[in-house]
Structures are given as C-alpha cells and as structure tokens.
Amino acid sequence: MSTLAEIEAAADKLPVRQKEALIERLTAQVERERTAPQARQNLAAFSGVLQLGDDPLAWQQRVRGEWE
C-alpha cells in the first residue's frame, strides 16, 4: 500500500475497534508533528507587540473568580 486510496480502502475493511485505534494513533502522531520544536514559533518575535490593558495578575484573579 502506497497511495492514500489504497490505505483508505484497507481501513474501510477494518472492524470498528481497529478503526478507532487507528484514528487515535494517527491523531496522536499529527499532534506530535504539529507541536514539534521546529514547528513552534519563536515567541521572542512578538516581544513588544502585545499591549495589555490590565495587569495580568488582576485579570487572572478576576477570571478565576468568575469560575467559582
């Protein structure tokens, strides 16, 4: 199997539990690839770009108070 169509056809033949396991495995793999170090952005590039209107600690305390 080398084409997506062949892989999809083989996956269609799997029992539901194996399809679920395949989905979980592929989802985990995609998440790892998305968050790989080379894919992460350098946050230093945003230095000085963000302007906060509130004190971050005061905002966090206010939001947490709303959750209680």
Side-chain angles (χ1 to χ4, degrees):
M1 275 183 274
S2 60
T3 68
L4 182 57
E6 291 172 335
I7 295 168
E8 288 173 342
D12 287 342
K13 297 175 186 175
L14 294 173
V16 173
R17 288 187 187 219
Q18 288 182 342
K19 287 178 185 176
E20 291 171 340
L22 178 60
I23 290 169
E24 289 175 14
R25 181 183 181 282
L26 292 174
T27 300
Q29 182 178 353
V30 167
E31 289 303 314
R32 281 191 307 274
E33 289 176 12
R34 282 186 179 156
T35 59
Q38 67 273 12
R40 294 184 189 146
Q41 289 188 350
N42 181 2
L43 295 180
F46 296 101
S47 178
V49 175
L50 180 62
Q51 300 289 329
L52 300 176
D54 294 337
D55 174 47
L57 182 57
W59 179 86
Q60 185 180 32
Q61 289 171 336
R62 185 180 77 244
V63 169
R64 285 186 176 176
E66 292 172 359
W67 292 343
E68 294 174 3

